[in-house]
Amino acid sequence: MTYRMLLCSAWIASALSLHAGPVKLVYMKVGAVTYSNVVVFSASSTDLFFTSDHGMSNVKLKFLSRELQKQFHYNSSNGEKAEQQQIDNDKRFQADLAANITARIRGVQNAIEIEVREQYSEAGLADSVSDDSPLGKAAPDLNFEDWVGPKPDLTGKIKLIDVWSPKSAACRKWIPSLNNLNKIFAGKIEVFGVTTATEADVQASDPKINFPCALDPDGKFLKAANITVLPCALLVDTNGTVRYQGHPAAIDTNTVQMLLKGIPEE
């Protein structure tokens, strides 16, 4: 804004320097408009500034009669150059303004992201330093076709995803804990599993899961999330961003309660 004000001030100053005093005209015709009682108080290489029965106005010198152009020393070549310079200056101003607004928006977004990460860190779910980590990024597609149990509505919810195998003792060990979280936080977070196993294997699991489980036979979700070790838990916020990925041992009742206090639900 300061740049544009300085630009306009310089432009007007140059216009005022062309005429030391006002020029009075009985009338002035510009296209289909006729101005009467005209008092020209300044002129630039491109514009004429005046008062009339229409109030205060300005017109381009190139639209005036040849007599008036001559009276106000209009040079078409110089006028075109000055007009192009004004256009270029305005484009630069608009580009600078857009860049400034974009930088401010990014600054606000970064501040929000830092605040959210701090909330997860305080809950004991610190970010991984791996370049391949999905933390802070959009979660892989959660639109699975086949489910064991009713397909959950994931819209606008915090999601706790258990990637597991019914045939793995290490995975089955954490089923009671996840069942408990699903019971305690029902309606507040959505707990569900993802597995490459068959529906029969999920149904035969002991202990049994009391939350829905998506079937991912080709392991597309595991590959997209860069999961190489099971069991693996993911916490995805209401905006679909991965906030934790690691062993389910890090997620307990206290952890989830801290997150629910610090992060507004939609």
Side-chain angles (χ1 to χ4, degrees):
M1 183 60 70
T2 302
Y3 165 79
R4 189 159 195 176
M5 289 176 66
L6 290 173
L7 181 65
C8 291
S9 298
W11 183 49
I12 292 173
S14 66
L16 291 171
S17 66
L18 295 180
H19 289 277
V23 176
K24 297 182 180 180
L25 302 171
V26 177
Y27 72 93
M28 181 174 67
K29 188 172 183 180
V30 183
V33 180
T34 300
Y35 300 90
S36 60
N37 299 321
V38 177
V39 178
V40 178
F41 57 85
S42 66
S44 69
S45 58
T46 59
D47 289 75
L48 201 67
F49 302 86
F50 60 95
T51 59
S52 69
D53 59 327
H54 289 241
M56 187 174 292
S57 309
N58 75 291
V59 295
K60 295 291 182 184
L61 284 166
K62 63 182 178 181
F63 297 137
L64 298 181
S65 66
R66 290 195 175 184
E67 290 77 10
L68 286 176
Q69 288 178 349
K70 185 176 180 180
Q71 181 176 349
F72 292 101
H73 311 291
Y74 174 65
N75 181 291
S76 60
S77 178
N78 292 341
E80 288 176 3
K81 290 179 181 178
E83 207 165 328
Q84 186 59 51
Q85 184 64 50
Q86 292 168 13
I87 293 172
D88 293 342
N89 290 341
D90 193 60
K91 285 182 178 179
R92 281 195 294 271
F93 168 76
Q94 294 295 339
D96 291 344
L97 181 62
N100 184 265
I101 292 173
T102 300
R104 290 184 181 183
I105 292 173
R106 287 177 180 171
V108 172
Q109 291 174 336
N110 290 338
I112 293 173
E113 177 65 20
I114 290 172
E115 183 178 351
V116 172
R117 289 189 181 189
E118 287 178 350
Q119 291 169 349
Y120 277 86
S121 180
E122 288 176 5
L125 304 176
D127 286 0
S128 168
V129 295
S130 169
D131 291 338
D132 297 326
S133 170
L135 295 169
K137 303 174 185 176
D141 184 15
L142 300 177
N143 189 26
F144 301 98
E145 293 184 4
D146 300 315
W147 291 81
V148 178
K151 181 178 180 178
D153 180 8
L154 305 178
T155 305
K157 294 182 180 179
I158 296 175
K159 295 161 276 290
L160 171 55
I161 307 169
D162 175 38
V163 185
W164 70 302
S165 170
K167 296 182 179 180
S168 166
C171 292
R172 295 195 303 271
K173 176 182 177 180
W174 294 97
I175 294 302
S177 175
L178 293 166
N179 281 340
N180 188 47
L181 290 174
N182 183 52
K183 180 180 179 181
I184 293 173
F185 298 104
K188 296 182 179 179
I189 65 171
E190 196 68 47
V191 180
F192 66 94
V194 175
T195 184
T196 58
T198 65
E199 180 176 356
D201 288 336
V202 174
Q203 296 283 18
S205 175
D206 183 25
K208 293 186 178 296
I209 60 173
N210 63 11
F211 46 85
C213 184
L215 301 180
D216 183 31
D218 297 325
K220 293 181 180 179
F221 181 83
L222 277 72
K223 294 175 184 175
N226 195 34
I227 296 173
T228 57
V229 178
L230 298 181
C232 182
L234 291 87
L235 265 175
V236 179
D237 68 15
T238 57
N239 295 316
T241 302
V242 177
R243 295 301 176 184
Y244 171 77
Q245 179 167 322
H247 199 281
I251 304 174
D252 56 21
T253 304
N254 291 334
T255 297
V256 176
Q257 285 176 337
M258 287 182 67
L259 293 178
L260 291 176
K261 289 180 181 178
I263 301 173
E265 298 176 70
E266 293 186 358

